[in-house]
Amino acid sequence: METPNTEAVNFIEAIINKDNEEGTYGKRVHTRFPPEPNGYLHIGHAKSICLNFGLGESYQGLTNLRFDDTNPVKEDVEYVNSIEADVKWLGFDWADREYFASDYFDQMYEYAKELIKKGRAYVDDQTPEEIKNSRGDFSTPGTNSPYRDRSVEENLRLFEEMKEGKYKDGEKVLRAKIDMASPNIVMRDPVLYRILHADHHRTGSKWCIYPMYDYAHPVEDAIERITHSVCTLEFEVHRPLYNWVLEEWPDTEKPKQIEFARLNVTNMVMSKRKLRQLVEKNLVSGWDDPRMPTISGLRRRGYTPEAIRDFCQRIGVAKADSVVDIALLEFCIREDLKMKAPRQMAVIKPVKVVITNYPEGQTEMVTIENNPENEAMGTREVPFGREIYIEQDDFMEVPVKKFFRMTPGKEVRLKGAYIVMCHEVIKNEDGSIKEIHCTYDPESRSGSGCQRKVKGTLHWVEATTAVDMEIRLYDYLLKADDEETADKDFLEQLNPDSLTICQGKGEPAFKTTQVGDHFQFLRQGYFVTDTDSTADHIVMNRIVGLRDSWAKAQKKG
Ligand code: ATP
Ligand code: MG
């Protein structure tokens, strides 16, 4: 990692550098990534992970993984496990600093009693409805609760009774005593604790009162002695409350909340609540569906940790909201796989080609580079024979202008093998193409010194040794973003054609592929072996296409 002091620094690094100069935290830098275990992490969280762990690394500081598990109703260990796996997979290490907010419930409770004793918190008997209605709005101040001036003794007793389960959900709350006329509505006596008779996935039935986020989060940060508490922009108006909560905290080194803009990406929905809807309504196969923007979905889709970290680096950290083009994410995975992934031949939508002047029953091996951009990856032998498959789209009986692939009467090269020319098209009864008949030029073998130039080179797969592969082609889960639809149900934006399954053919090298192997299918794009794949049934996911100059040229017309 580069030292932020010598590189251009982002605004968060500038704050940290200033703190270090002024000795605010004795040069300590201690950040945390604080997910709520109520869903799987998405690419937005990856930004926060890279940022927080990145700061820890570049300042030789520390970063905690902390589960913000203060709402027992929505949280589950399944999510805890997936979050741990995702953070590790991204390449970050919290060492032994894995914490749970629920581990601090006792401390939070004790500190709340301190606030009561200082006259800074009170038990309110108003209903949630009444509390809401007395809060006022932007133009009207709120009104004080009739219970606001209870004595410390009474407040302590009632709060303890709340904890002991004497009251039903919603019957009482603990509120901060700040200012019902504050111009910042967040500061109008916010609720600190509510009653919730629900079992927690870690503390079981020990508690029936649970702290609110705005109270819990600063206390968690303070207990862990976090220095810079980085969060997303929507918490900016909560910052005065964050600081208020910690006013009575005994440590002089109080954490500092810093807000940055959350990541939005075109064609992606970025909220756990919405992602959960997709899963629960079976609109996707699960949290790790390769179309999902979850980290587990991206992983299954074939994204690498390197590509995601590179993406997070490139988008940077800013204070203004923006939407990042998904094309940047795709660029990052192409960049990462360009030199690493072997380039092999697979035909996604096959059509049979018979080379009529090639001896029946004969095959020969041709040599093909594994990655022309990375010689170190060497070469492999690929069988060639009389019957091969090519891509349906690589043939046009009546070619359009600038079509340099296979067409009757025109020569085209088969990658690593021979120049062939189509002389006949055999049709099925319905008029579709059954077979394409070609002849080959035995003198034109690649590497034989044949100088003849042909315009197109096609990938192909020899028929008798071809490996069957199920190939899953993905398109965006959401149709292009449209400001107008922002308020509409996002489900209306779902792309009905986000998955196309093809029965393809691969060269023999695919036979031994393992889950998670990356490839470039020559001329097609980057692919990964899916978790559904077995030795008998190979399944490939398209991660991203290559930029297709043909499609572009066609669009330009
Ligand atoms: P969601 O709205 O998707 O449910 P969340 O903010 O509720 O997300 P948390 O588990 O509370 O999810 O988030 C953990 C951390 O990740 C927080 O610090 C949060 O600010 C950050 N985070 C969440 N979404 C994004 C995003 N899109 N971009 C950057 N950081 C994010
Ligand atoms: Mg949240």
Side-chain angles (χ1 to χ4, degrees), residues 336-345 368-372 374 377-380 507 509-510 513 516-522 525-527:
D336 185 41
L337 294 180
K338 190 167 69 184
M339 305 295 276
K340 290 193 210 166
R343 299 186 187 180
Q344 294 185 180
M345 296 198 288
I368 298 185
E369 338 65 323
N370 285 328
N371 187 333
N374 183 359
M377 290 178 73
T379 60
R380 70 185 181 289
E507 61 169 272
F510 283 107
T513 186
D517 285 348
H518 291 90
F519 300 98
Q520 186 189 112
F521 288 7
L522 217 68
Y526 289 98
F527 289 74

Side-chain angles (χ1 to χ4, degrees), residues 368-400:
I368 298 185
E369 338 65 323
N370 285 328
N371 187 333
E373 290 187 64
N374 183 359
E375 248 176 64
M377 290 178 73
T379 60
R380 70 185 181 289
E381 302 285 292
V382 182
F384 179 78
R386 180 181 161 92
E387 299 200 349
I388 61 169
Y389 295 105
I390 67 164
E391 215 64 63
Q392 287 169 18
D393 286 350
D394 280 340
F395 179 78
M396 265 185 141
E397 199 172 357
V398 183
V400 295

Side-chain angles (χ1 to χ4, degrees), residues 295-352:
I295 296 178
S296 50
L298 291 166
R299 173 165 64 231
R300 183 167 169 193
R301 177 71 171 265
Y303 274 85
T304 59
E306 291 84 355
I308 294 177
R309 290 200 306 263
D310 180 33
F311 173 72
C312 291
Q313 182 76 34
R314 285 172 191 268
I315 56 180
V317 183
K319 221 159 156 96
D321 274 315
S322 67
V323 183
V324 176
D325 195 320
I326 197 165
L328 179 62
L329 184 61
E330 295 170 348
F331 169 81
C332 291
I333 187 64
R334 284 194 199 99
E335 278 294 294
D336 185 41
L337 294 180
K338 190 167 69 184
M339 305 295 276
K340 290 193 210 166
R343 299 186 187 180
Q344 294 185 180
M345 296 198 288
V347 173
I348 296 174
K349 292 175 187 161
V351 59
K352 172 91 60 83

